[in-house]
């Protein structure tokens, strides 16, 4: 993959200003893209577009191929004639514009989409049926229909259709519900492709994010248990996904997702993975793959364990997977999220794949070490971040770091005057850290939106291993317009990232 020296902004669509409880596709996304383009940025990195899990995380979805229905815009539904503008307006949110209200959005978006579906004629429903089959979303739609029939229980607890082979015979009596979920996905993909086309026309490319794992209670596991390292009758995994103790958690992270049966995937030429990655490149211009190191080796945790400490390293597919991807899709632009516990096998996979890895400056401020995350150690072929969705904000990190770490960080970036704890758009210490990343040789530098604003830890998007207050950050256009655009234009120009 060949990249030009450039920069981007990390911003979840859920956080985009909107009148509907969470961010949605359409005008607001395009306006945000215009704002960052004007500041000299070339990329917008988003969080995964897959449906959210029970904790509103996009990293444990019930489908590797479906889209998040909460991003569907009521306004675009009205423009397309599926509902009236008054009907769309009836689902507007009157609460805080700074907090994502997923429960409100879920309830009101479904109400609106079911109303729209009730108005469809036979010709449109036939079109939706063709879309379901051609887009590879049949299993997802049938899974969702059966989940509703089974009172939203986990699929292995269903009394009807728990086995995919049995469920196919039930489709005729579920056809309307299957078509409804197809209609939802039709709206999602239609709206996003139209939105992305306009964003690309501005000169902004989209960096997507693909979680490596899916939920155990997912259409993928239900319909294709052979893809996973689970008991094919009970769907119980003997070992589950997570990561060992690291920077974020002294007990590690116990995710609980089923692991893959890599022998099966290799034997059938990685067909499912090729389809999955191909879908990502229909939606995005570049793709970050989360927890990339698991393709080299992955942490397999005892399924009965209460923490992630009780695990073993198991070998992943390595380059055989990415050779198959290249043979089928070409030299697609992939970013390897190579954070966490490292090893020689991960280094080899990165070298062999030639995918750029990630560097996070916050991880570099160890006064007693010379880590790879300090900018003077960055290779050209890497993506450098001031932080990710899992990190604290820069200002939050400065406040919560030890005195020794903070002193080293401020010395390193050349901050020798003023108030290091000052936040806001012109936070002086944060600016020095940002400039250190921008000055580095990394081909692409990315900043979370919160760091552009100089926000503190209360604006953090996620805290790994902590289920409280996650994924809720939102913003307004008033906040966006307050950003010092001249400053970002200047550093993008001075450091040749414009």
């Amino acid at each position: 993959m060949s990249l030009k020296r450039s920069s981007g902004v990390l911003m979840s669509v859920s956080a985009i200003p909107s009148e509907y409880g969470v961010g949605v596709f359409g005008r607001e996304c395009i306006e945000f893209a215009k704002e960052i383009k004007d500041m000299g940025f070339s990329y917008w990195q988003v969080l995964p577009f897959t449906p959210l899990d029970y904790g509103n995380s996009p990293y444990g979805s019930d489908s590797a191929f479906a889209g998040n229905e909460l991003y569907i815009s009521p306004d675009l539904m009205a423009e397309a004639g599926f509902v009236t503008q008054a009907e769309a307006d009836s689902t507007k949110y009157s609460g805080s514009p700074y907090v994502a209200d997923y429960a409100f959005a879920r309830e009101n978006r479904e109400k609106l989409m079911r109303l729209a579906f009730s108005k469809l004629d036979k010709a449109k429903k036939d079109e939706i049926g063709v879309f379901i089959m051609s887009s590879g979303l049949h299993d997802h739609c049938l899974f969702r229909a059966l989940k509703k029939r089974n009172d939203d229980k986990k699929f292995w607890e269903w009394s009807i259709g728990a086995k995919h082979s049995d469920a196919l015979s039930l489709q005729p009596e579920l056809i309307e519900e299957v078509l409804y979920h197809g209609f939802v996905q039709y709206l999602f993909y239609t709206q996003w492709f139209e939105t992305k086309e306009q964003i690309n026309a501005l000169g902004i490319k989209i960096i997507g994010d693909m979680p490596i794992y899916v939920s155990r209670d997912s259409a993928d596991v239900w319909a294709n248990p052979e893809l996973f390292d689970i008991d094919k009758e009970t769907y119980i995994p003997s070992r589950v996904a997570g990561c060992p103790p690291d920077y974020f958690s002294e007990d590690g992270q116990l995710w609980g997702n089923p692991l893959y049966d890599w022998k099966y995937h290799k034997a059938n030429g990685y067909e499912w993975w090729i389809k999955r990655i191909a879908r990502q490149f229909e939606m995005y211009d570049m793709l970050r793959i989360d927890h990339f190191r698991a393709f080299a080796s992955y942490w397999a945790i005892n399924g009965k364990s209460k923490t992630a400490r009780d695990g073993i390293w198991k070998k992943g597919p390595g380059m055989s997977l990415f050779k198959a991807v290249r043979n089928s899709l070409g030299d697609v632009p992939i970013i390897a999220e190579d954070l966490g516990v490292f090893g020689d096998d991960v280094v080899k996979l990165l070298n062999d794949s030639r995918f750029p890895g990630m560097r996070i400056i916050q991880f570099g401020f160890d006064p007693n070490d010379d880590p790879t995350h300090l900018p003077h150690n960055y290779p050209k072929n890497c993506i450098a971040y001031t932080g990710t969705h899992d990190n604290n904000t820069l200002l939050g990190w400065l406040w919560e770091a030890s005195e020794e770490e903070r002193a080293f960080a401020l010395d390193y970036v050349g901050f020798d005057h003023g108030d290091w704890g000052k936040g806001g758009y012109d936070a002086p210490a944060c600016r020095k850290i940002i400039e250190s990343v921008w000055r580095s040789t990394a081909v692409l530098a990315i900043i979370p939106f919160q760091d552009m604003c100089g926000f503190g830890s209360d604006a953090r998007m996620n805290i790994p291993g902590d289920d409280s207050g996650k994924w809720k950050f939102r913003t307004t256009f008033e906040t966006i317009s307050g950003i010092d655009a001249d400053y970002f234009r200047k550093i993008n120009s001075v450091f040749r990232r414009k």
Side-chain angles (χ1 to χ4, degrees):
M1 156 173 94
S2 177
L3 290 174
K4 292 182 178 180
R5 187 171 172 84
S6 52
S7 62
V9 177
L10 171 58
M11 175 73 144
S12 173
V13 169
S14 65
I16 288 290
S18 107
E19 298 180 290
Y20 296 102
V22 300
V24 296
F25 295 148
R27 175 181 58 82
E28 294 86 353
C29 287
I30 296 162
E31 287 301 313
F32 177 72
K34 286 179 180 177
E35 293 283 349
I36 64 173
K37 177 63 179 177
D38 181 58
M39 298 179 206
F41 293 99
S42 303
Y43 290 90
W44 174 5
Q45 181 175 328
V46 297
L47 296 187
F49 279 2
T50 42
L52 307 180
D53 69 10
Y54 67 93
N56 298 317
S57 168
Y59 290 93
S61 180
D62 69 353
S63 174
F65 294 87
N68 181 357
E69 59 267 31
L70 300 188
Y71 290 167
I72 293 169
S73 166
D75 289 333
L76 292 183
M77 288 176 65
E79 287 179 18
F82 291 116
V83 294
T84 66
Q85 188 60 54
E87 289 166 340
D89 291 345
S90 72
T91 65
K92 285 184 176 179
Y93 182 62
S94 60
S96 170
Y98 300 106
V99 179
D101 192 329
Y102 294 103
F104 174 90
R106 193 170 283 110
E107 177 184 349
N108 284 275
R109 204 77 82 254
E110 180 173 6
K111 179 174 69 174
L112 188 66
M113 291 187 296
R114 288 197 179 273
L115 173 63
F117 180 73
S118 72
K119 299 180 180 184
L120 298 185
D121 59 21
K122 183 180 183 302
K124 193 62 179 182
K125 287 184 178 180
D126 288 344
E127 181 185 339
I128 298 300
V130 172
F131 166 80
I132 290 171
M133 301 309 295
S134 64
S135 61
L137 290 168
H138 174 264
D139 286 336
H140 164 77
C141 296
L142 182 55
F143 177 83
R144 284 287 185 93
L146 281 162
K147 201 163 190 57
K148 181 176 174 63
R149 174 66 66 88
N150 285 278
D151 300 320
D152 287 328
K153 292 179 181 177
K154 294 178 172 61
F155 79 81
W156 53 89
E157 298 173 350
W158 290 354
S159 58
I160 303 170
K163 295 291 183 184
H164 181 258
S165 55
D166 297 334
L168 295 176
S169 64
L170 298 169
Q171 183 161 315
E173 62 185 87
L174 295 168
I175 189 63
E176 283 296 296
E177 189 66 15
V178 170
L179 285 172
Y180 165 72
H181 289 288
F183 175 59
V184 170
Q185 293 303 308
Y186 172 85
L187 291 173
F188 171 89
Y189 280 102
T190 300
Q191 290 191 5
W192 172 241
F193 289 151
E194 291 175 354
T195 301
K196 180 178 179 293
E197 182 178 15
Q198 294 182 66
I199 290 172
N200 286 162
L202 297 170
I204 295 291
K205 292 185 177 180
I206 302 294
I207 301 175
D209 194 337
M210 186 183 81
I212 186 171
Y213 296 118
V214 297
S215 170
R216 180 185 168 200
D217 186 24
S218 67
D220 307 281
V221 176
W222 170 71
N224 305 286
E226 68 278 3
L227 302 176
F228 301 91
D229 187 11
I230 58 174
D231 184 294
K232 304 305 187 277
E233 293 300 317
T234 64
Y235 304 99
I236 296 174
S238 60
R239 291 189 176 273
V240 296
C243 65
D246 62 6
Y247 177 92
F248 289 115
S249 174
E250 62 182 21
D251 284 329
Q253 296 176 48
L254 179 59
W255 301 330
N257 310 79
L259 299 166
Y260 295 104
D261 184 341
W262 286 118
K263 288 183 179 179
Y264 176 88
H265 285 279
K266 185 174 183 179
N268 81 342
Y270 299 104
E271 179 182 5
W272 184 81
W273 280 97
I274 290 169
K275 288 180 180 178
R276 187 182 184 192
I277 292 174
R279 173 59 54 82
Q280 306 302 303
F281 282 102
E282 292 174 8
M283 293 194 293
Y284 313 122
D285 301 299
M286 192 183 301
L287 179 65
R288 170 193 181 270
I289 299 183
D290 190 56
H291 200 53
F292 181 86
R293 68 102 55 240
F295 293 114
S297 55
Y298 55 94
W299 191 241
I301 305 162
N302 187 303
K304 297 179 180 179
S305 178
K306 301 299 182 184
T307 76
R309 289 183 174 275
D310 185 14
I312 58 173
W313 287 109
K314 300 190 74 173
K315 187 177 180 181
M319 270 306 294
S320 65
L321 166 60
F322 295 106
K323 285 178 181 177
V325 170
R326 279 197 177 123
N327 288 338
S328 179
L329 305 178
D331 192 16
V332 288
I334 287 173
I335 298 169
E337 190 271 275
D338 56 338
L339 308 176
V341 179
F342 233 61
D344 291 341
D345 56 345
V346 184
V347 175
K348 185 177 188 310
L349 181 56
L350 282 168
N351 289 337
D352 291 346
S353 68
R354 303 189 302 277
F355 297 146
M358 292 172 56
R359 297 294 185 273
I360 317 297
I361 193 170
Q362 288 183 32
F363 294 163
F365 293 135
D366 181 346
N368 302 308
D369 197 3
D370 186 25
T372 60
H373 291 281
L374 279 179
H376 70 267
N377 287 325
Y378 292 176
K380 181 179 179 181
N381 187 37
C382 79
I383 316 300
Y385 292 76
T386 64
T388 73
H389 64 277
D390 281 335
N391 288 96
N392 204 339
T393 64
L394 283 180
L395 184 66
W397 182 88
L398 283 168
W399 276 98
E400 295 177 19
S402 70
E403 287 190 23
E404 189 180 21
E405 286 176 321
R406 183 169 55 248
F408 173 74
L410 296 176
D411 279 346
Y412 183 88
V413 301
F415 182 80
D416 56 5
H417 65 280
D419 179 6
W420 65 260
K422 180 180 181 296
Y425 295 117
D426 61 346
C430 294
R431 283 192 170 188
K432 284 293 187 180
I433 297 173
I434 293 166
E435 289 160 20
S436 292
V437 174
W438 254 240
R439 183 181 288 112
S440 74
T441 58
V443 67
L444 176 56
I446 293 181
I447 183 171
F449 172 80
Q450 293 93 316
D451 286 344
M452 297 176 73
C453 302
F455 288 159
S457 57
D458 56 334
R460 187 171 180 170
M461 186 56 116
N462 180 45
I463 303 176
D466 182 345
D467 288 333
S468 62
K470 301 169 79 165
W471 317 110
K472 292 184 178 180
F473 172 79
R474 286 184 68 208
T475 194
T476 65
F477 276 119
E478 182 180 9
T479 302
I480 294 170
S481 65
I483 292 172
D484 187 348
D486 288 339
Y487 171 73
F488 287 102
R489 276 193 291 268
K490 180 179 179 179
I491 64 170
N492 278 322
S493 177
V494 168
F495 299 119
R496 301 298 187 262
R497 295 191 180 277
K498 189 172 181 180

